[in-house]
């Protein structure tokens, strides 16, 4: 089995991985890299799409699906597999992050989407592709690819210790591609949620919490200590996520449903509210938060950023200017989570995606079989990785 590392290795963003065995070849995710430009914005395909039999999308965040229109513009005409939730969310992601001309010519191809449920095993030629709930977003999955001789498990984005979502166990494999977004960060999601709750309690008379529309938004709602508002455009999506009980931990759906019913709706023309306000997206690059972050910065309205801040993004600039605070809400594995995933997968050879090389070195101290040398653009084989 051969792997082409097309994005997200030695870097954060444009996550994409091709898996080949014999004449069979599939693509796992096709993301963009926020903050980059030109060719570095897209996966490093660097050639013809001939031979790619199918695309499998783990979830609809921009760093996993944002290059879909670009891929179609380059001639990809094969099937596209994703869950119903990813299908429903992807058009908005492309509207925010795809090249406008690519999107005009190659809009989201609803008629070509082949749906599956988390837990299904899919087929593409001789490849069997197992799926499982990721714990990251409703409808998000990991993939485990087996050609009958060897197997590769690609975590995509996972959260093994989420306070909201369920993650299924990743199976034993020969090579594990871990979500290494946080390196060896030892602080648990529960501890971070408490820090966020305490910050919000200190700013309960009004503050802005930029958040992705899916995933972290539910984590934040669960952590908020009192009344809050949401941008009105988020409500229908949040209601659908809360209603997906199979993706949520027992009892969480009802808790979030009650909290969402009590949440106030806020619109762009309204004054900033005297309570915490959730607005998408989390970086200020798109959506309501792209308008709200400058407004909050100019008026001194408190801002708490809780996720990845690409260099030069509006959130990054506001934080560096001292006009926004930052506390990570873990929506990727912390140290104990990744070690547990690796041990339950049989302690296989491992790669880390969505992580800078220095953080990979820290993680390797705890996962000895983790390679720190793999980078976007490289081609490797599973036996070679297993020996390193």
């Amino acid at each position: 089995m051969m792997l082409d590392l097309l994005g997200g290795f030695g870097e954060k963003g444009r996550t994409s991985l091709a898996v080949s065995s014999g004449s069979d070849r599939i693509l796992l995710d096709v993301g963009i890299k926020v903050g980059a430009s030109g060719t570095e914005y897209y996966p490093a395909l660097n050639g013809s799409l001939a031979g790619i039999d199918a695309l499998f999308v783990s979830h609809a965040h921009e760093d996993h699906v944002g290059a879909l229109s670009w891929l179609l513009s380059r001639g990809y005409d094969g099937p596209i597999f994703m869950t119903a939730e990813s299908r429903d969310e992807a058009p908005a992601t492309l509207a925010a992050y795809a090249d406008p001309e690519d999107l005009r010519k190659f809009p989201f191809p609803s008629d070509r989407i082949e749906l599956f449920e988390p837990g299904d095993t899919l087929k593409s030629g001789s490849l069997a592709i197992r799926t499982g709930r990721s714990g990251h977003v409703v409808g998000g999955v990991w993939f485990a690819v087996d050609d009958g001789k060897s197997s590769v498990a690609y975590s995509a984005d996972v959260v093994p210790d989420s306070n909201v979502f369920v993650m299924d166990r990743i199976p034993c494999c020969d090579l594990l591609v871990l979500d290494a977004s946080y390196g060896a960060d030892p602080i648990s999601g529960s501890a971070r949620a408490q820090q966020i709750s305490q910050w919000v309690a200190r700013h309960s008379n009004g503050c802005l919490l930029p958040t992705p529309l899916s995933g972290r938004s539910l984590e934040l709602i669960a952590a908020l200590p009192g009344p809050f508002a949401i941008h009105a455009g988020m409500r229908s999506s949040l209601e659908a996520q809360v209603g997906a009980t199979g993706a949520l931990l027992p009892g969480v759906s009802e808790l979030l449903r009650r909290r969402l019913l009590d949440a106030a709706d806020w619109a762009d023309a309204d004054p900033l509210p005297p309570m915490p306000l959730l607005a998408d997206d989390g970086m200020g690059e798109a959506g309501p938060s792209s308008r709200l972050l400058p407004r909050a910065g100019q008026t001194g309205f408190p801002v708490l950023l809780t996720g990845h801040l690409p260099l030069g993004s509006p959130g990054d600039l506001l934080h560096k200017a001292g006009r926004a605070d930052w506390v990570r809400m873990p929506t990727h594995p912390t140290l104990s989570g990744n070690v547990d995933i690796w041990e339950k997968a049989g302690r296989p050879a491992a790669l880390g995606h969505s992580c800078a090389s220095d953080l990979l070195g820290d993680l390797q101290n705890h996962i000895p079989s983790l390679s720190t040398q793999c980078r976007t653009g490289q081609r490797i084989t599973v036996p070679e990785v297993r020996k390193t």
Side-chain angles (χ1 to χ4, degrees):
M1 191 179 290
M2 182 175 292
L3 308 181
D4 287 300
L5 310 182
L6 303 177
F9 294 87
E11 61 183 347
K12 176 75 171 176
R14 61 170 177 169
T15 317
S16 187
L17 174 69
V19 182
S20 306
S21 178
S23 62
D24 299 313
R25 180 172 168 83
I26 62 173
L27 194 60
L28 306 178
D29 283 342
V30 59
I32 56 90
K33 184 177 181 179
V34 174
S37 59
T39 58
E40 287 196 6
Y41 191 67
Y42 301 107
L45 277 164
N46 300 328
S48 172
L49 297 180
I52 296 180
D53 302 310
L55 167 65
F56 296 82
V57 175
S58 65
H59 63 292
H61 285 165
E62 78 286 340
D63 53 335
H64 293 262
V65 77
L68 179 57
S69 292
W70 171 85
L71 185 74
L72 299 175
S73 76
R74 292 172 64 85
Y76 178 70
D77 59 1
I80 302 166
F81 292 85
M82 59 178 69
T83 63
E85 292 85 359
S86 295
R87 176 202 58 191
D88 294 344
E89 294 172 16
T93 303
L94 295 179
Y97 290 97
D99 177 89
E101 186 64 13
D102 284 346
L103 185 60
R104 184 183 70 80
K105 293 180 179 178
F106 299 93
F108 183 73
S110 300
D111 58 335
R112 288 173 54 187
I113 304 303
E114 300 199 21
L115 296 178
F116 67 90
E117 293 283 342
D120 288 351
T121 296
L122 311 170
K123 291 285 291 184
S124 181
S126 65
L127 301 175
I129 303 99
R130 289 179 60 181
T131 69
R133 293 171 292 183
S134 68
H136 180 66
V137 295
V138 171
V141 298
W142 47 254
F143 297 112
V145 184
D146 194 312
D147 67 353
K149 299 177 182 177
S150 58
S151 61
V152 173
Y154 162 59
S155 71
D157 290 353
V158 293
V159 190
D161 60 351
S162 170
N163 295 316
V164 170
F165 299 102
V166 177
M167 178 185 165
D168 294 319
R169 175 176 171 174
I170 292 177
C172 290
C173 55
D174 298 300
L175 174 64
L176 177 61
V177 185
L178 286 166
D179 176 359
S181 296
Y182 299 158
D185 183 358
I187 302 177
S188 71
S190 296
R192 295 287 195 186
Q194 184 177 13
Q195 292 175 9
I196 289 170
S197 178
Q198 292 169 348
W199 187 97
V200 171
R202 294 195 300 270
H203 301 84
S204 59
N205 291 330
C207 60
L208 174 62
L209 302 171
T211 176
L213 184 57
S214 61
R216 196 192 323 151
S217 53
L218 297 193
E219 301 274 9
L220 287 171
I221 289 172
L224 292 175
F228 64 96
I230 59 170
H231 191 279
M234 300 176 69
R235 183 169 290 278
S236 62
S237 175
L238 293 175
E239 287 174 345
Q241 293 175 60
V242 169
T245 56
L248 305 178
L249 294 168
V252 167
S253 179
E254 180 58 26
L255 168 67
L256 294 177
R257 188 190 67 81
R258 291 196 305 268
R259 302 226 67 203
L260 194 55
L261 280 173
D262 292 339
D265 282 330
W266 185 90
D268 287 0
D270 297 338
L272 292 171
M275 63 179 65
L277 169 64
L278 272 65
D280 59 303
D281 73 6
M283 303 170 286
E285 290 279 355
S289 76
S290 66
R291 303 181 292 273
L292 274 166
L293 275 179
R295 185 173 170 184
Q298 292 165 5
T299 61
F301 195 67
V303 176
L304 180 64
L305 301 160
T306 56
H308 176 57
L309 299 178
L311 186 65
S313 65
D316 174 60
L317 296 176
L318 200 66
H319 181 242
K320 286 179 176 175
R323 297 176 184 169
D325 292 332
W326 182 85
V327 177
R328 172 182 287 154
M329 169 61 82
T331 53
H332 302 275
T334 53
L335 176 59
S336 61
N338 260 338
V339 170
D340 186 59
I341 290 171
W342 173 68
E343 289 180 340
K344 288 178 178 176
R347 299 193 170 197
L351 309 179
H353 72 79
S354 303
C355 185
S357 56
D358 57 336
L359 295 180
L360 278 177
D362 294 338
L363 187 57
Q364 187 189 49
N365 293 328
H366 305 271
I367 301 178
S369 65
L370 179 71
S371 171
T372 63
Q373 305 305 313
C374 294
R375 298 289 183 272
T376 293
Q378 292 180 346
R379 171 175 287 184
I380 60 176
T381 63
V382 174
E384 288 176 348
V385 172
R386 204 181 306 169
K387 292 175 183 177
T388 60

Short mmCIF file of all heavy atoms in Angstrom, two decimals, residues 96-121:
data_model
loop_
_atom_site.label_atom_id
_atom_site.label_comp_id
_atom_site.label_asym_id
_atom_site.label_seq_id
_atom_site.Cartn_x
_atom_site.Cartn_y
_atom_site.Cartn_z
N ALA A 96 -17.51 30.13 1.50
CA ALA A 96 -16.60 30.96 2.30
C ALA A 96 -15.14 30.83 1.87
O ALA A 96 -14.37 31.79 1.97
CB ALA A 96 -16.73 30.60 3.77
N TYR A 97 -14.74 29.65 1.36
CA TYR A 97 -13.31 29.39 1.19
C TYR A 97 -12.87 28.98 -0.21
O TYR A 97 -11.68 28.97 -0.50
CB TYR A 97 -12.86 28.31 2.19
CG TYR A 97 -12.86 28.80 3.61
CD1 TYR A 97 -13.93 28.55 4.46
CD2 TYR A 97 -11.80 29.55 4.10
CE1 TYR A 97 -13.94 29.03 5.77
CE2 TYR A 97 -11.78 30.02 5.40
CZ TYR A 97 -12.86 29.76 6.22
OH TYR A 97 -12.87 30.24 7.51
N ALA A 98 -13.79 28.62 -1.10
CA ALA A 98 -13.40 28.25 -2.46
C ALA A 98 -13.09 29.50 -3.28
O ALA A 98 -13.59 30.59 -3.00
CB ALA A 98 -14.52 27.46 -3.12
N ASP A 99 -12.25 29.34 -4.29
CA ASP A 99 -12.03 30.41 -5.26
C ASP A 99 -13.36 30.74 -5.93
O ASP A 99 -14.06 29.84 -6.40
CB ASP A 99 -11.01 29.97 -6.30
CG ASP A 99 -10.80 31.01 -7.37
OD1 ASP A 99 -9.93 31.88 -7.19
OD2 ASP A 99 -11.52 30.96 -8.39
N PRO A 100 -13.76 32.02 -5.95
CA PRO A 100 -15.09 32.36 -6.48
C PRO A 100 -15.32 31.87 -7.91
O PRO A 100 -16.43 31.44 -8.26
CB PRO A 100 -15.13 33.89 -6.39
CG PRO A 100 -14.18 34.22 -5.28
CD PRO A 100 -13.09 33.21 -5.38
N GLU A 101 -14.29 31.94 -8.76
CA GLU A 101 -14.46 31.49 -10.14
C GLU A 101 -14.60 29.98 -10.20
O GLU A 101 -15.43 29.45 -10.97
CB GLU A 101 -13.27 31.95 -10.99
CG GLU A 101 -13.42 31.66 -12.47
CD GLU A 101 -14.58 32.41 -13.13
OE1 GLU A 101 -15.14 33.34 -12.51
OE2 GLU A 101 -14.94 32.04 -14.26
N ASP A 102 -13.80 29.26 -9.41
CA ASP A 102 -13.97 27.80 -9.35
C ASP A 102 -15.37 27.44 -8.88
O ASP A 102 -16.01 26.53 -9.42
CB ASP A 102 -12.94 27.17 -8.39
CG ASP A 102 -11.55 27.09 -8.98
OD1 ASP A 102 -11.41 27.25 -10.21
OD2 ASP A 102 -10.60 26.84 -8.21
N LEU A 103 -15.84 28.15 -7.85
CA LEU A 103 -17.16 27.84 -7.30
C LEU A 103 -18.27 28.15 -8.30
O LEU A 103 -19.27 27.42 -8.39
CB LEU A 103 -17.38 28.62 -6.00
CG LEU A 103 -18.66 28.31 -5.24
CD1 LEU A 103 -18.73 26.84 -4.84
CD2 LEU A 103 -18.76 29.20 -4.00
N ARG A 104 -18.10 29.22 -9.07
CA ARG A 104 -19.12 29.57 -10.07
C ARG A 104 -19.22 28.48 -11.14
O ARG A 104 -20.31 28.08 -11.53
CB ARG A 104 -18.78 30.91 -10.72
CG ARG A 104 -19.84 31.39 -11.71
CD ARG A 104 -19.42 32.69 -12.37
NE ARG A 104 -18.30 32.50 -13.28
CZ ARG A 104 -18.42 32.04 -14.53
NH1 ARG A 104 -19.63 31.71 -15.00
NH2 ARG A 104 -17.36 31.91 -15.29
N LYS A 105 -18.07 27.99 -11.59
CA LYS A 105 -18.06 26.98 -12.65
C LYS A 105 -18.32 25.58 -12.12
O LYS A 105 -18.85 24.73 -12.83
CB LYS A 105 -16.72 27.01 -13.38
CG LYS A 105 -16.46 28.27 -14.17
CD LYS A 105 -15.10 28.22 -14.86
CE LYS A 105 -14.84 29.46 -15.69
NZ LYS A 105 -13.49 29.41 -16.33
N PHE A 106 -17.92 25.36 -10.88
CA PHE A 106 -18.04 24.01 -10.30
C PHE A 106 -18.66 24.10 -8.91
O PHE A 106 -17.97 23.94 -7.90
CB PHE A 106 -16.66 23.34 -10.24
CG PHE A 106 -16.02 23.16 -11.58
CD1 PHE A 106 -15.14 24.11 -12.08
CD2 PHE A 106 -16.32 22.05 -12.36
CE1 PHE A 106 -14.57 23.96 -13.33
CE2 PHE A 106 -15.75 21.88 -13.60
CZ PHE A 106 -14.87 22.84 -14.10
N PRO A 107 -19.95 24.40 -8.85
CA PRO A 107 -20.64 24.47 -7.54
C PRO A 107 -20.71 23.09 -6.91
O PRO A 107 -20.39 22.08 -7.53
CB PRO A 107 -22.03 25.00 -7.91
CG PRO A 107 -22.23 24.56 -9.33
CD PRO A 107 -20.87 24.63 -9.97
N PHE A 108 -21.16 23.08 -5.67
CA PHE A 108 -21.24 21.81 -4.95
C PHE A 108 -22.09 20.81 -5.74
O PHE A 108 -23.25 21.09 -6.05
CB PHE A 108 -21.83 22.03 -3.56
CG PHE A 108 -21.88 20.78 -2.73
CD1 PHE A 108 -20.72 20.24 -2.20
CD2 PHE A 108 -23.08 20.14 -2.48
CE1 PHE A 108 -20.75 19.09 -1.43
CE2 PHE A 108 -23.13 18.98 -1.72
CZ PHE A 108 -21.95 18.46 -1.19
N PRO A 109 -21.55 19.63 -6.06
CA PRO A 109 -22.24 18.68 -6.94
C PRO A 109 -23.17 17.74 -6.17
O PRO A 109 -22.90 16.55 -6.00
CB PRO A 109 -21.06 17.91 -7.56
CG PRO A 109 -20.03 17.88 -6.48
CD PRO A 109 -20.18 19.19 -5.73
N SER A 110 -24.31 18.25 -5.73
CA SER A 110 -25.21 17.47 -4.89
C SER A 110 -25.60 16.14 -5.53
O SER A 110 -25.76 15.13 -4.82
CB SER A 110 -26.49 18.27 -4.61
OG SER A 110 -26.18 19.47 -3.94
N ASP A 111 -25.73 16.13 -6.86
CA ASP A 111 -26.18 14.91 -7.53
C ASP A 111 -25.12 13.82 -7.60
O ASP A 111 -25.42 12.68 -7.95
CB ASP A 111 -26.66 15.24 -8.95
CG ASP A 111 -25.58 15.91 -9.80
OD1 ASP A 111 -24.66 16.54 -9.21
OD2 ASP A 111 -25.64 15.81 -11.03
N ARG A 112 -23.88 14.17 -7.24
CA ARG A 112 -22.79 13.18 -7.30
C ARG A 112 -22.40 12.64 -5.93
O ARG A 112 -21.51 11.80 -5.83
CB ARG A 112 -21.55 13.80 -7.97
CG ARG A 112 -21.72 14.01 -9.47
CD ARG A 112 -20.56 14.76 -10.05
NE ARG A 112 -19.27 14.13 -9.75
CZ ARG A 112 -18.09 14.69 -10.06
NH1 ARG A 112 -18.07 15.87 -10.67
NH2 ARG A 112 -16.97 14.08 -9.77
N ILE A 113 -23.05 13.12 -4.89
CA ILE A 113 -22.67 12.70 -3.54
C ILE A 113 -23.24 11.32 -3.25
O ILE A 113 -24.45 11.08 -3.42
CB ILE A 113 -23.17 13.71 -2.49
CG1 ILE A 113 -22.63 15.12 -2.82
CG2 ILE A 113 -22.75 13.28 -1.10
CD1 ILE A 113 -21.13 15.22 -2.93
N GLU A 114 -22.39 10.42 -2.78
CA GLU A 114 -22.82 9.09 -2.35
C GLU A 114 -22.76 9.07 -0.82
O GLU A 114 -21.70 9.22 -0.23
CB GLU A 114 -21.93 8.02 -2.96
CG GLU A 114 -21.97 8.04 -4.49
CD GLU A 114 -21.49 6.74 -5.11
OE1 GLU A 114 -21.49 5.70 -4.41
OE2 GLU A 114 -21.10 6.78 -6.29
N LEU A 115 -23.93 8.93 -0.21
CA LEU A 115 -24.04 9.05 1.24
C LEU A 115 -23.72 7.74 1.94
O LEU A 115 -23.97 6.65 1.43
CB LEU A 115 -25.45 9.49 1.63
CG LEU A 115 -25.89 10.88 1.15
CD1 LEU A 115 -27.33 11.14 1.57
CD2 LEU A 115 -24.97 11.97 1.68
N PHE A 116 -23.17 7.87 3.14
CA PHE A 116 -22.97 6.72 4.01
C PHE A 116 -23.20 7.15 5.45
O PHE A 116 -23.22 8.35 5.76
CB PHE A 116 -21.56 6.11 3.83
CG PHE A 116 -20.44 7.02 4.30
CD1 PHE A 116 -19.98 6.96 5.62
CD2 PHE A 116 -19.84 7.92 3.43
CE1 PHE A 116 -18.95 7.78 6.05
CE2 PHE A 116 -18.81 8.75 3.86
CZ PHE A 116 -18.37 8.68 5.17
N GLU A 117 -23.36 6.18 6.32
CA GLU A 117 -23.52 6.44 7.75
C GLU A 117 -22.22 6.10 8.48
O GLU A 117 -21.53 5.14 8.10
CB GLU A 117 -24.64 5.56 8.32
CG GLU A 117 -26.03 5.89 7.80
CD GLU A 117 -26.61 7.12 8.44
OE1 GLU A 117 -26.10 7.53 9.52
OE2 GLU A 117 -27.56 7.68 7.88
N PRO A 118 -21.86 6.88 9.51
CA PRO A 118 -20.70 6.48 10.32
C PRO A 118 -20.88 5.05 10.83
O PRO A 118 -21.94 4.68 11.32
CB PRO A 118 -20.72 7.49 11.47
CG PRO A 118 -21.42 8.69 10.91
CD PRO A 118 -22.47 8.14 9.99
N GLY A 119 -19.85 4.24 10.67
CA GLY A 119 -19.93 2.83 11.02
C GLY A 119 -20.02 1.93 9.81
O GLY A 119 -19.77 0.72 9.90
N ASP A 120 -20.38 2.50 8.64
CA ASP A 120 -20.44 1.71 7.41
C ASP A 120 -19.03 1.34 6.95
O ASP A 120 -18.06 2.06 7.20
CB ASP A 120 -21.11 2.51 6.29
CG ASP A 120 -22.62 2.66 6.48
OD1 ASP A 120 -23.16 2.00 7.40
OD2 ASP A 120 -23.23 3.44 5.73
N THR A 121 -18.93 0.21 6.24
CA THR A 121 -17.71 -0.16 5.52
C THR A 121 -17.99 0.00 4.04
O THR A 121 -18.95 -0.58 3.51
CB THR A 121 -17.30 -1.61 5.83
OG1 THR A 121 -16.97 -1.71 7.22
CG2 THR A 121 -16.08 -2.01 5.01
#
